[in-house]
Amino acid sequence: MFYQTIDILGTVAFAISGVLVAMDKKLDLFGVLIIAFVTAIGGGTLRDLLIGNTPVVWMRDLTYVTTIFISVVFGILFVNQLKYLRRSLFLFDTIGIGLFTMIGVEKGLQAELSPVMCVALGTMTASFGGVIRDMLCNEIPVIFRKEIYATACILGGASYFLFTQFPIKENYAYIAAIVVVISLRLLAVHFGISLPNIYKKT
């Protein structure tokens, strides 16, 4: 129940981020729904296909599809209020990657993968939905820019295995790793920290 709750919260966060991007691009209702849908389930679909967990989870459990529809309706109805929130898209996206990173790590552990593969799976789970969203909306995906994005997922996923070495409950280590991902992303943007630019200025 704990892990499903985290998964649902991540689905809501990513679905709303998809709605905000789609409405900013002035897509029609169907376009908004599709962008929200692929943003919310893109990473999880790739994850399940890679570990052979088929049919993928959203096809077996309509809770996820229902959650996305409700999130889309909420996002459309309250889009003006959401726009008043400072960097609302950034916040929802950041919360989404934090939650989905650890969902991916947990799925990797269930599949008995090594910690390195678990972290990689968590990073893909968190990032791939946003990649599809940005590509469909004719944007360069955030993960391919110099912003701290996938790096936060990697460090947060790795921190989970560090936290499990301490005498604390597994759920607390799980939540702490989510906080690490979200905090790293927030701090990186706030202080303008980014990966080195490999291109020389001309």
Side-chain angles (χ1 to χ4, degrees), residues 69-108:
F69 273 105
I70 293 173
S71 300
V72 169
V73 172
F74 174 84
I76 292 173
L77 291 178
F78 296 99
V79 65
N80 290 328
Q81 287 79 2
L82 289 172
K83 285 181 177 179
Y84 284 120
L85 294 176
R86 186 173 179 268
R87 297 181 178 178
S88 56
L89 170 59
F90 164 74
L91 290 173
F92 281 111
D93 200 50
T94 300
I95 292 169
I97 66 169
L99 297 172
F100 272 15
T101 294
M102 287 312 302
I103 288 297
V105 169
E106 176 61 26
K107 293 291 184 179

PDB file of all heavy atoms in Angstrom, residues 69-108:
ATOM      1  N   PHE A  69      -6.963  10.674 -15.589  1.00  0.00           N
ATOM      2  CA  PHE A  69      -8.143  11.411 -16.033  1.00  0.00           C
ATOM      3  C   PHE A  69      -8.553  12.460 -14.998  1.00  0.00           C
ATOM      4  O   PHE A  69      -8.855  13.609 -15.347  1.00  0.00           O
ATOM      5  CB  PHE A  69      -9.315  10.449 -16.286  1.00  0.00           C
ATOM      6  CG  PHE A  69      -9.341   9.873 -17.663  1.00  0.00           C
ATOM      7  CD1 PHE A  69      -8.956   8.568 -17.890  1.00  0.00           C
ATOM      8  CD2 PHE A  69      -9.747  10.633 -18.760  1.00  0.00           C
ATOM      9  CE1 PHE A  69      -8.962   8.016 -19.163  1.00  0.00           C
ATOM     10  CE2 PHE A  69      -9.767  10.109 -20.031  1.00  0.00           C
ATOM     11  CZ  PHE A  69      -9.372   8.793 -20.243  1.00  0.00           C
ATOM     12  N   ILE A  70      -8.562  12.078 -13.732  1.00  0.00           N
ATOM     13  CA  ILE A  70      -8.933  13.020 -12.673  1.00  0.00           C
ATOM     14  C   ILE A  70      -7.924  14.163 -12.602  1.00  0.00           C
ATOM     15  O   ILE A  70      -8.300  15.338 -12.445  1.00  0.00           O
ATOM     16  CB  ILE A  70      -9.017  12.297 -11.312  1.00  0.00           C
ATOM     17  CG1 ILE A  70     -10.181  11.299 -11.320  1.00  0.00           C
ATOM     18  CG2 ILE A  70      -9.191  13.303 -10.174  1.00  0.00           C
ATOM     19  CD1 ILE A  70     -10.248  10.422 -10.084  1.00  0.00           C
ATOM     20  N   SER A  71      -6.646  13.846 -12.749  1.00  0.00           N
ATOM     21  CA  SER A  71      -5.593  14.868 -12.716  1.00  0.00           C
ATOM     22  C   SER A  71      -5.738  15.839 -13.876  1.00  0.00           C
ATOM     23  O   SER A  71      -5.517  17.050 -13.720  1.00  0.00           O
ATOM     24  CB  SER A  71      -4.213  14.210 -12.758  1.00  0.00           C
ATOM     25  OG  SER A  71      -4.024  13.358 -11.652  1.00  0.00           O
ATOM     26  N   VAL A  72      -6.105  15.318 -15.055  1.00  0.00           N
ATOM     27  CA  VAL A  72      -6.304  16.176 -16.229  1.00  0.00           C
ATOM     28  C   VAL A  72      -7.462  17.136 -15.994  1.00  0.00           C
ATOM     29  O   VAL A  72      -7.352  18.345 -16.259  1.00  0.00           O
ATOM     30  CB  VAL A  72      -6.569  15.325 -17.491  1.00  0.00           C
ATOM     31  CG1 VAL A  72      -7.043  16.202 -18.645  1.00  0.00           C
ATOM     32  CG2 VAL A  72      -5.299  14.582 -17.895  1.00  0.00           C
ATOM     33  N   VAL A  73      -8.576  16.608 -15.479  1.00  0.00           N
ATOM     34  CA  VAL A  73      -9.733  17.463 -15.189  1.00  0.00           C
ATOM     35  C   VAL A  73      -9.360  18.529 -14.174  1.00  0.00           C
ATOM     36  O   VAL A  73      -9.681  19.713 -14.341  1.00  0.00           O
ATOM     37  CB  VAL A  73     -10.914  16.613 -14.670  1.00  0.00           C
ATOM     38  CG1 VAL A  73     -12.046  17.521 -14.192  1.00  0.00           C
ATOM     39  CG2 VAL A  73     -11.412  15.673 -15.761  1.00  0.00           C
ATOM     40  N   PHE A  74      -8.648  18.122 -13.123  1.00  0.00           N
ATOM     41  CA  PHE A  74      -8.210  19.071 -12.092  1.00  0.00           C
ATOM     42  C   PHE A  74      -7.297  20.138 -12.697  1.00  0.00           C
ATOM     43  O   PHE A  74      -7.463  21.338 -12.434  1.00  0.00           O
ATOM     44  CB  PHE A  74      -7.474  18.324 -10.976  1.00  0.00           C
ATOM     45  CG  PHE A  74      -6.861  19.228  -9.933  1.00  0.00           C
ATOM     46  CD1 PHE A  74      -7.625  19.698  -8.879  1.00  0.00           C
ATOM     47  CD2 PHE A  74      -5.526  19.608 -10.023  1.00  0.00           C
ATOM     48  CE1 PHE A  74      -7.067  20.532  -7.913  1.00  0.00           C
ATOM     49  CE2 PHE A  74      -4.953  20.439  -9.081  1.00  0.00           C
ATOM     50  CZ  PHE A  74      -5.728  20.902  -8.017  1.00  0.00           C
ATOM     51  N   GLY A  75      -6.340  19.699 -13.499  1.00  0.00           N
ATOM     52  CA  GLY A  75      -5.394  20.637 -14.101  1.00  0.00           C
ATOM     53  C   GLY A  75      -6.070  21.646 -15.014  1.00  0.00           C
ATOM     54  O   GLY A  75      -5.714  22.828 -15.023  1.00  0.00           O
ATOM     55  N   ILE A  76      -7.056  21.177 -15.797  1.00  0.00           N
ATOM     56  CA  ILE A  76      -7.769  22.075 -16.710  1.00  0.00           C
ATOM     57  C   ILE A  76      -8.640  23.068 -15.943  1.00  0.00           C
ATOM     58  O   ILE A  76      -8.659  24.269 -16.244  1.00  0.00           O
ATOM     59  CB  ILE A  76      -8.627  21.261 -17.702  1.00  0.00           C
ATOM     60  CG1 ILE A  76      -7.718  20.483 -18.668  1.00  0.00           C
ATOM     61  CG2 ILE A  76      -9.568  22.175 -18.492  1.00  0.00           C
ATOM     62  CD1 ILE A  76      -8.457  19.526 -19.571  1.00  0.00           C
ATOM     63  N   LEU A  77      -9.348  22.569 -14.928  1.00  0.00           N
ATOM     64  CA  LEU A  77     -10.255  23.428 -14.165  1.00  0.00           C
ATOM     65  C   LEU A  77      -9.506  24.487 -13.355  1.00  0.00           C
ATOM     66  O   LEU A  77      -9.982  25.612 -13.194  1.00  0.00           O
ATOM     67  CB  LEU A  77     -11.119  22.584 -13.226  1.00  0.00           C
ATOM     68  CG  LEU A  77     -12.171  21.686 -13.881  1.00  0.00           C
ATOM     69  CD1 LEU A  77     -12.911  20.870 -12.835  1.00  0.00           C
ATOM     70  CD2 LEU A  77     -13.174  22.519 -14.690  1.00  0.00           C
ATOM     71  N   PHE A  78      -8.325  24.131 -12.865  1.00  0.00           N
ATOM     72  CA  PHE A  78      -7.599  25.035 -11.978  1.00  0.00           C
ATOM     73  C   PHE A  78      -6.294  25.526 -12.601  1.00  0.00           C
ATOM     74  O   PHE A  78      -5.367  25.903 -11.886  1.00  0.00           O
ATOM     75  CB  PHE A  78      -7.310  24.336 -10.641  1.00  0.00           C
ATOM     76  CG  PHE A  78      -8.543  23.990  -9.864  1.00  0.00           C
ATOM     77  CD1 PHE A  78      -9.054  22.700  -9.910  1.00  0.00           C
ATOM     78  CD2 PHE A  78      -9.215  24.949  -9.117  1.00  0.00           C
ATOM     79  CE1 PHE A  78     -10.202  22.370  -9.205  1.00  0.00           C
ATOM     80  CE2 PHE A  78     -10.362  24.636  -8.411  1.00  0.00           C
ATOM     81  CZ  PHE A  78     -10.869  23.334  -8.448  1.00  0.00           C
ATOM     82  N   VAL A  79      -6.245  25.537 -13.940  1.00  0.00           N
ATOM     83  CA  VAL A  79      -5.006  25.938 -14.607  1.00  0.00           C
ATOM     84  C   VAL A  79      -4.608  27.366 -14.258  1.00  0.00           C
ATOM     85  O   VAL A  79      -3.419  27.666 -14.087  1.00  0.00           O
ATOM     86  CB  VAL A  79      -5.134  25.760 -16.145  1.00  0.00           C
ATOM     87  CG1 VAL A  79      -6.184  26.713 -16.725  1.00  0.00           C
ATOM     88  CG2 VAL A  79      -3.789  25.973 -16.818  1.00  0.00           C
ATOM     89  N   ASN A  80      -5.588  28.255 -14.128  1.00  0.00           N
ATOM     90  CA  ASN A  80      -5.262  29.650 -13.786  1.00  0.00           C
ATOM     91  C   ASN A  80      -4.669  29.760 -12.386  1.00  0.00           C
ATOM     92  O   ASN A  80      -3.709  30.507 -12.152  1.00  0.00           O
ATOM     93  CB  ASN A  80      -6.507  30.526 -13.894  1.00  0.00           C
ATOM     94  CG  ASN A  80      -6.956  30.704 -15.333  1.00  0.00           C
ATOM     95  OD1 ASN A  80      -6.143  30.715 -16.253  1.00  0.00           O
ATOM     96  ND2 ASN A  80      -8.261  30.827 -15.538  1.00  0.00           N
ATOM     97  N   GLN A  81      -5.247  28.987 -11.441  1.00  0.00           N
ATOM     98  CA  GLN A  81      -4.704  28.995 -10.085  1.00  0.00           C
ATOM     99  C   GLN A  81      -3.309  28.386 -10.051  1.00  0.00           C
ATOM    100  O   GLN A  81      -2.425  28.868  -9.341  1.00  0.00           O
ATOM    101  CB  GLN A  81      -5.628  28.212  -9.143  1.00  0.00           C
ATOM    102  CG  GLN A  81      -6.928  28.925  -8.803  1.00  0.00           C
ATOM    103  CD  GLN A  81      -7.974  28.822  -9.909  1.00  0.00           C
ATOM    104  OE1 GLN A  81      -7.739  28.183 -10.935  1.00  0.00           O
ATOM    105  NE2 GLN A  81      -9.116  29.451  -9.705  1.00  0.00           N
ATOM    106  N   LEU A  82      -3.096  27.321 -10.848  1.00  0.00           N
ATOM    107  CA  LEU A  82      -1.786  26.679 -10.886  1.00  0.00           C
ATOM    108  C   LEU A  82      -0.732  27.619 -11.456  1.00  0.00           C
ATOM    109  O   LEU A  82       0.426  27.604 -11.044  1.00  0.00           O
ATOM    110  CB  LEU A  82      -1.853  25.397 -11.729  1.00  0.00           C
ATOM    111  CG  LEU A  82      -2.615  24.223 -11.116  1.00  0.00           C
ATOM    112  CD1 LEU A  82      -2.775  23.096 -12.127  1.00  0.00           C
ATOM    113  CD2 LEU A  82      -1.924  23.713  -9.862  1.00  0.00           C
ATOM    114  N   LYS A  83      -1.143  28.447 -12.396  1.00  0.00           N
ATOM    115  CA  LYS A  83      -0.197  29.382 -12.998  1.00  0.00           C
ATOM    116  C   LYS A  83       0.262  30.446 -12.009  1.00  0.00           C
ATOM    117  O   LYS A  83       1.327  31.044 -12.175  1.00  0.00           O
ATOM    118  CB  LYS A  83      -0.820  30.046 -14.227  1.00  0.00           C
ATOM    119  CG  LYS A  83      -0.883  29.113 -15.437  1.00  0.00           C
ATOM    120  CD  LYS A  83      -1.477  29.804 -16.647  1.00  0.00           C
ATOM    121  CE  LYS A  83      -1.470  28.891 -17.858  1.00  0.00           C
ATOM    122  NZ  LYS A  83      -2.079  29.532 -19.049  1.00  0.00           N
ATOM    123  N   TYR A  84      -0.570  30.679 -10.962  1.00  0.00           N
ATOM    124  CA  TYR A  84      -0.164  31.655  -9.961  1.00  0.00           C
ATOM    125  C   TYR A  84       0.919  31.098  -9.041  1.00  0.00           C
ATOM    126  O   TYR A  84       1.622  31.836  -8.375  1.00  0.00           O
ATOM    127  CB  TYR A  84      -1.369  32.087  -9.121  1.00  0.00           C
ATOM    128  CG  TYR A  84      -2.280  33.052  -9.845  1.00  0.00           C
ATOM    129  CD1 TYR A  84      -3.609  32.734 -10.082  1.00  0.00           C
ATOM    130  CD2 TYR A  84      -1.808  34.282 -10.302  1.00  0.00           C
ATOM    131  CE1 TYR A  84      -4.451  33.614 -10.758  1.00  0.00           C
ATOM    132  CE2 TYR A  84      -2.640  35.172 -10.974  1.00  0.00           C
ATOM    133  CZ  TYR A  84      -3.956  34.829 -11.196  1.00  0.00           C
ATOM    134  OH  TYR A  84      -4.782  35.698 -11.864  1.00  0.00           O
ATOM    135  N   LEU A  85       1.007  29.745  -8.994  1.00  0.00           N
ATOM    136  CA  LEU A  85       2.056  29.144  -8.192  1.00  0.00           C
ATOM    137  C   LEU A  85       3.399  29.380  -8.874  1.00  0.00           C
ATOM    138  O   LEU A  85       3.530  29.220 -10.076  1.00  0.00           O
ATOM    139  CB  LEU A  85       1.821  27.628  -8.052  1.00  0.00           C
ATOM    140  CG  LEU A  85       0.582  27.193  -7.270  1.00  0.00           C
ATOM    141  CD1 LEU A  85       0.452  25.685  -7.318  1.00  0.00           C
ATOM    142  CD2 LEU A  85       0.653  27.662  -5.830  1.00  0.00           C
ATOM    143  N   ARG A  86       4.362  29.778  -8.098  1.00  0.00           N
ATOM    144  CA  ARG A  86       5.681  30.069  -8.670  1.00  0.00           C
ATOM    145  C   ARG A  86       6.296  28.802  -9.246  1.00  0.00           C
ATOM    146  O   ARG A  86       6.496  27.813  -8.559  1.00  0.00           O
ATOM    147  CB  ARG A  86       6.585  30.653  -7.578  1.00  0.00           C
ATOM    148  CG  ARG A  86       7.943  31.123  -8.097  1.00  0.00           C
ATOM    149  CD  ARG A  86       8.682  31.846  -6.982  1.00  0.00           C
ATOM    150  NE  ARG A  86       9.989  32.297  -7.430  1.00  0.00           N
ATOM    151  CZ  ARG A  86      11.091  31.579  -7.288  1.00  0.00           C
ATOM    152  NH1 ARG A  86      11.036  30.385  -6.742  1.00  0.00           N
ATOM    153  NH2 ARG A  86      12.243  32.050  -7.697  1.00  0.00           N
ATOM    154  N   ARG A  87       6.547  28.843 -10.539  1.00  0.00           N
ATOM    155  CA  ARG A  87       7.164  27.711 -11.226  1.00  0.00           C
ATOM    156  C   ARG A  87       6.405  26.412 -10.962  1.00  0.00           C
ATOM    157  O   ARG A  87       6.985  25.391 -10.590  1.00  0.00           O
ATOM    158  CB  ARG A  87       8.623  27.556 -10.796  1.00  0.00           C
ATOM    159  CG  ARG A  87       9.488  28.753 -11.171  1.00  0.00           C
ATOM    160  CD  ARG A  87      10.918  28.529 -10.748  1.00  0.00           C
ATOM    161  NE  ARG A  87      11.781  29.632 -11.134  1.00  0.00           N
ATOM    162  CZ  ARG A  87      13.073  29.709 -10.859  1.00  0.00           C
ATOM    163  NH1 ARG A  87      13.654  28.728 -10.192  1.00  0.00           N
ATOM    164  NH2 ARG A  87      13.797  30.728 -11.256  1.00  0.00           N
ATOM    165  N   SER A  88       5.090  26.443 -11.146  1.00  0.00           N
ATOM    166  CA  SER A  88       4.276  25.272 -10.829  1.00  0.00           C
ATOM    167  C   SER A  88       4.689  24.049 -11.649  1.00  0.00           C
ATOM    168  O   SER A  88       4.732  22.930 -11.124  1.00  0.00           O
ATOM    169  CB  SER A  88       2.796  25.573 -11.029  1.00  0.00           C
ATOM    170  OG  SER A  88       2.543  26.032 -12.344  1.00  0.00           O
ATOM    171  N   LEU A  89       4.985  24.230 -12.930  1.00  0.00           N
ATOM    172  CA  LEU A  89       5.413  23.105 -13.758  1.00  0.00           C
ATOM    173  C   LEU A  89       6.690  22.496 -13.196  1.00  0.00           C
ATOM    174  O   LEU A  89       6.812  21.274 -13.079  1.00  0.00           O
ATOM    175  CB  LEU A  89       5.633  23.557 -15.209  1.00  0.00           C
ATOM    176  CG  LEU A  89       6.308  22.543 -16.142  1.00  0.00           C
ATOM    177  CD1 LEU A  89       5.479  21.267 -16.222  1.00  0.00           C
ATOM    178  CD2 LEU A  89       6.519  23.146 -17.521  1.00  0.00           C
ATOM    179  N   PHE A  90       7.643  23.346 -12.851  1.00  0.00           N
ATOM    180  CA  PHE A  90       8.910  22.872 -12.304  1.00  0.00           C
ATOM    181  C   PHE A  90       8.690  22.075 -11.020  1.00  0.00           C
ATOM    182  O   PHE A  90       9.285  21.010 -10.806  1.00  0.00           O
ATOM    183  CB  PHE A  90       9.828  24.067 -12.043  1.00  0.00           C
ATOM    184  CG  PHE A  90      10.994  23.764 -11.152  1.00  0.00           C
ATOM    185  CD1 PHE A  90      12.067  23.021 -11.625  1.00  0.00           C
ATOM    186  CD2 PHE A  90      11.016  24.215  -9.842  1.00  0.00           C
ATOM    187  CE1 PHE A  90      13.143  22.728 -10.799  1.00  0.00           C
ATOM    188  CE2 PHE A  90      12.085  23.935  -9.023  1.00  0.00           C
ATOM    189  CZ  PHE A  90      13.157  23.188  -9.499  1.00  0.00           C
ATOM    190  N   LEU A  91       7.806  22.579 -10.157  1.00  0.00           N
ATOM    191  CA  LEU A  91       7.555  21.915  -8.885  1.00  0.00           C
ATOM    192  C   LEU A  91       6.920  20.548  -9.080  1.00  0.00           C
ATOM    193  O   LEU A  91       7.344  19.557  -8.473  1.00  0.00           O
ATOM    194  CB  LEU A  91       6.656  22.787  -8.001  1.00  0.00           C
ATOM    195  CG  LEU A  91       7.304  24.061  -7.457  1.00  0.00           C
ATOM    196  CD1 LEU A  91       6.278  24.921  -6.745  1.00  0.00           C
ATOM    197  CD2 LEU A  91       8.450  23.719  -6.511  1.00  0.00           C
ATOM    198  N   PHE A  92       5.896  20.467  -9.939  1.00  0.00           N
ATOM    199  CA  PHE A  92       5.240  19.181 -10.176  1.00  0.00           C
ATOM    200  C   PHE A  92       6.204  18.192 -10.824  1.00  0.00           C
ATOM    201  O   PHE A  92       6.210  17.003 -10.498  1.00  0.00           O
ATOM    202  CB  PHE A  92       3.991  19.360 -11.044  1.00  0.00           C
ATOM    203  CG  PHE A  92       2.799  19.867 -10.284  1.00  0.00           C
ATOM    204  CD1 PHE A  92       2.304  21.145 -10.509  1.00  0.00           C
ATOM    205  CD2 PHE A  92       2.173  19.079  -9.326  1.00  0.00           C
ATOM    206  CE1 PHE A  92       1.203  21.613  -9.804  1.00  0.00           C
ATOM    207  CE2 PHE A  92       1.080  19.539  -8.613  1.00  0.00           C
ATOM    208  CZ  PHE A  92       0.595  20.816  -8.857  1.00  0.00           C
ATOM    209  N   ASP A  93       7.008  18.679 -11.743  1.00  0.00           N
ATOM    210  CA  ASP A  93       7.983  17.824 -12.416  1.00  0.00           C
ATOM    211  C   ASP A  93       9.029  17.309 -11.429  1.00  0.00           C
ATOM    212  O   ASP A  93       9.413  16.132 -11.463  1.00  0.00           O
ATOM    213  CB  ASP A  93       8.663  18.603 -13.548  1.00  0.00           C
ATOM    214  CG  ASP A  93       9.307  17.692 -14.576  1.00  0.00           C
ATOM    215  OD1 ASP A  93       8.627  16.765 -15.044  1.00  0.00           O
ATOM    216  OD2 ASP A  93      10.484  17.904 -14.914  1.00  0.00           O
ATOM    217  N   THR A  94       9.471  18.180 -10.542  1.00  0.00           N
ATOM    218  CA  THR A  94      10.474  17.796  -9.547  1.00  0.00           C
ATOM    219  C   THR A  94       9.931  16.770  -8.560  1.00  0.00           C
ATOM    220  O   THR A  94      10.602  15.790  -8.219  1.00  0.00           O
ATOM    221  CB  THR A  94      10.965  19.047  -8.787  1.00  0.00           C
ATOM    222  OG1 THR A  94      11.551  19.959  -9.720  1.00  0.00           O
ATOM    223  CG2 THR A  94      11.989  18.667  -7.729  1.00  0.00           C
ATOM    224  N   ILE A  95       8.715  16.992  -8.099  1.00  0.00           N
ATOM    225  CA  ILE A  95       8.080  16.023  -7.199  1.00  0.00           C
ATOM    226  C   ILE A  95       7.920  14.683  -7.912  1.00  0.00           C
ATOM    227  O   ILE A  95       8.176  13.613  -7.340  1.00  0.00           O
ATOM    228  CB  ILE A  95       6.706  16.546  -6.722  1.00  0.00           C
ATOM    229  CG1 ILE A  95       6.896  17.761  -5.813  1.00  0.00           C
ATOM    230  CG2 ILE A  95       5.934  15.447  -5.979  1.00  0.00           C
ATOM    231  CD1 ILE A  95       5.609  18.510  -5.510  1.00  0.00           C
ATOM    232  N   GLY A  96       7.532  14.745  -9.184  1.00  0.00           N
ATOM    233  CA  GLY A  96       7.342  13.521  -9.967  1.00  0.00           C
ATOM    234  C   GLY A  96       8.613  12.701 -10.087  1.00  0.00           C
ATOM    235  O   GLY A  96       8.596  11.476  -9.894  1.00  0.00           O
ATOM    236  N   ILE A  97       9.746  13.360 -10.380  1.00  0.00           N
ATOM    237  CA  ILE A  97      10.979  12.582 -10.551  1.00  0.00           C
ATOM    238  C   ILE A  97      11.449  11.994  -9.224  1.00  0.00           C
ATOM    239  O   ILE A  97      12.017  10.893  -9.190  1.00  0.00           O
ATOM    240  CB  ILE A  97      12.112  13.399 -11.225  1.00  0.00           C
ATOM    241  CG1 ILE A  97      12.591  14.543 -10.339  1.00  0.00           C
ATOM    242  CG2 ILE A  97      11.700  13.885 -12.590  1.00  0.00           C
ATOM    243  CD1 ILE A  97      13.871  15.204 -10.854  1.00  0.00           C
ATOM    244  N   GLY A  98      11.188  12.715  -8.133  1.00  0.00           N
ATOM    245  CA  GLY A  98      11.565  12.175  -6.830  1.00  0.00           C
ATOM    246  C   GLY A  98      10.802  10.903  -6.504  1.00  0.00           C
ATOM    247  O   GLY A  98      11.384   9.891  -6.087  1.00  0.00           O
ATOM    248  N   LEU A  99       9.500  10.933  -6.707  1.00  0.00           N
ATOM    249  CA  LEU A  99       8.652   9.781  -6.406  1.00  0.00           C
ATOM    250  C   LEU A  99       8.924   8.623  -7.349  1.00  0.00           C
ATOM    251  O   LEU A  99       9.062   7.470  -6.926  1.00  0.00           O
ATOM    252  CB  LEU A  99       7.177  10.191  -6.483  1.00  0.00           C
ATOM    253  CG  LEU A  99       6.722  11.256  -5.476  1.00  0.00           C
ATOM    254  CD1 LEU A  99       5.313  11.723  -5.786  1.00  0.00           C
ATOM    255  CD2 LEU A  99       6.791  10.711  -4.051  1.00  0.00           C
ATOM    256  N   PHE A 100       9.034   8.915  -8.645  1.00  0.00           N
ATOM    257  CA  PHE A 100       9.196   7.850  -9.628  1.00  0.00           C
ATOM    258  C   PHE A 100      10.590   7.229  -9.613  1.00  0.00           C
ATOM    259  O   PHE A 100      10.757   6.074 -10.005  1.00  0.00           O
ATOM    260  CB  PHE A 100       8.861   8.376 -11.027  1.00  0.00           C
ATOM    261  CG  PHE A 100       7.401   8.248 -11.379  1.00  0.00           C
ATOM    262  CD1 PHE A 100       6.453   8.000 -10.420  1.00  0.00           C
ATOM    263  CD2 PHE A 100       6.985   8.377 -12.695  1.00  0.00           C
ATOM    264  CE1 PHE A 100       5.115   7.886 -10.731  1.00  0.00           C
ATOM    265  CE2 PHE A 100       5.643   8.249 -13.036  1.00  0.00           C
ATOM    266  CZ  PHE A 100       4.701   8.002 -12.042  1.00  0.00           C
ATOM    267  N   THR A 101      11.594   7.980  -9.188  1.00  0.00           N
ATOM    268  CA  THR A 101      12.928   7.391  -9.062  1.00  0.00           C
ATOM    269  C   THR A 101      12.889   6.202  -8.106  1.00  0.00           C
ATOM    270  O   THR A 101      13.395   5.111  -8.414  1.00  0.00           O
ATOM    271  CB  THR A 101      13.952   8.426  -8.550  1.00  0.00           C
ATOM    272  OG1 THR A 101      14.117   9.451  -9.531  1.00  0.00           O
ATOM    273  CG2 THR A 101      15.304   7.766  -8.277  1.00  0.00           C
ATOM    274  N   MET A 102      12.265   6.386  -6.973  1.00  0.00           N
ATOM    275  CA  MET A 102      12.244   5.325  -5.985  1.00  0.00           C
ATOM    276  C   MET A 102      11.274   4.207  -6.342  1.00  0.00           C
ATOM    277  O   MET A 102      11.483   3.053  -5.948  1.00  0.00           O
ATOM    278  CB  MET A 102      11.920   5.906  -4.604  1.00  0.00           C
ATOM    279  CG  MET A 102      13.072   6.700  -4.013  1.00  0.00           C
ATOM    280  SD  MET A 102      14.652   5.812  -4.128  1.00  0.00           S
ATOM    281  CE  MET A 102      14.260   4.310  -3.241  1.00  0.00           C
ATOM    282  N   ILE A 103      10.231   4.518  -7.098  1.00  0.00           N
ATOM    283  CA  ILE A 103       9.362   3.443  -7.593  1.00  0.00           C
ATOM    284  C   ILE A 103      10.167   2.537  -8.514  1.00  0.00           C
ATOM    285  O   ILE A 103      10.072   1.303  -8.449  1.00  0.00           O
ATOM    286  CB  ILE A 103       8.139   4.024  -8.339  1.00  0.00           C
ATOM    287  CG1 ILE A 103       7.165   4.665  -7.341  1.00  0.00           C
ATOM    288  CG2 ILE A 103       7.423   2.938  -9.147  1.00  0.00           C
ATOM    289  CD1 ILE A 103       6.558   3.703  -6.342  1.00  0.00           C
ATOM    290  N   GLY A 104      10.981   3.147  -9.385  1.00  0.00           N
ATOM    291  CA  GLY A 104      11.822   2.361 -10.285  1.00  0.00           C
ATOM    292  C   GLY A 104      12.846   1.530  -9.535  1.00  0.00           C
ATOM    293  O   GLY A 104      13.087   0.362  -9.869  1.00  0.00           O
ATOM    294  N   VAL A 105      13.458   2.111  -8.512  1.00  0.00           N
ATOM    295  CA  VAL A 105      14.418   1.377  -7.687  1.00  0.00           C
ATOM    296  C   VAL A 105      13.745   0.182  -7.027  1.00  0.00           C
ATOM    297  O   VAL A 105      14.287  -0.936  -7.004  1.00  0.00           O
ATOM    298  CB  VAL A 105      15.050   2.298  -6.619  1.00  0.00           C
ATOM    299  CG1 VAL A 105      15.841   1.481  -5.596  1.00  0.00           C
ATOM    300  CG2 VAL A 105      15.954   3.331  -7.273  1.00  0.00           C
ATOM    301  N   GLU A 106      12.557   0.403  -6.492  1.00  0.00           N
ATOM    302  CA  GLU A 106      11.822  -0.675  -5.826  1.00  0.00           C
ATOM    303  C   GLU A 106      11.477  -1.803  -6.804  1.00  0.00           C
ATOM    304  O   GLU A 106      11.609  -2.985  -6.473  1.00  0.00           O
ATOM    305  CB  GLU A 106      10.545  -0.116  -5.196  1.00  0.00           C
ATOM    306  CG  GLU A 106       9.637  -1.152  -4.560  1.00  0.00           C
ATOM    307  CD  GLU A 106      10.300  -1.912  -3.423  1.00  0.00           C
ATOM    308  OE1 GLU A 106      11.217  -1.360  -2.797  1.00  0.00           O
ATOM    309  OE2 GLU A 106       9.875  -3.054  -3.150  1.00  0.00           O
ATOM    310  N   LYS A 107      11.060  -1.440  -8.020  1.00  0.00           N
ATOM    311  CA  LYS A 107      10.749  -2.458  -9.031  1.00  0.00           C
ATOM    312  C   LYS A 107      12.007  -3.247  -9.396  1.00  0.00           C
ATOM    313  O   LYS A 107      11.951  -4.459  -9.644  1.00  0.00           O
ATOM    314  CB  LYS A 107      10.172  -1.805 -10.283  1.00  0.00           C
ATOM    315  CG  LYS A 107       8.800  -1.159 -10.081  1.00  0.00           C
ATOM    316  CD  LYS A 107       7.723  -2.190  -9.851  1.00  0.00           C
ATOM    317  CE  LYS A 107       6.351  -1.521  -9.741  1.00  0.00           C
ATOM    318  NZ  LYS A 107       5.265  -2.513  -9.530  1.00  0.00           N
ATOM    319  N   GLY A 108      13.144  -2.553  -9.445  1.00  0.00           N
ATOM    320  CA  GLY A 108      14.406  -3.228  -9.717  1.00  0.00           C
ATOM    321  C   GLY A 108      14.763  -4.229  -8.619  1.00  0.00           C
ATOM    322  O   GLY A 108      15.229  -5.340  -8.904  1.00  0.00           O
TER     323      GLY A 108
END
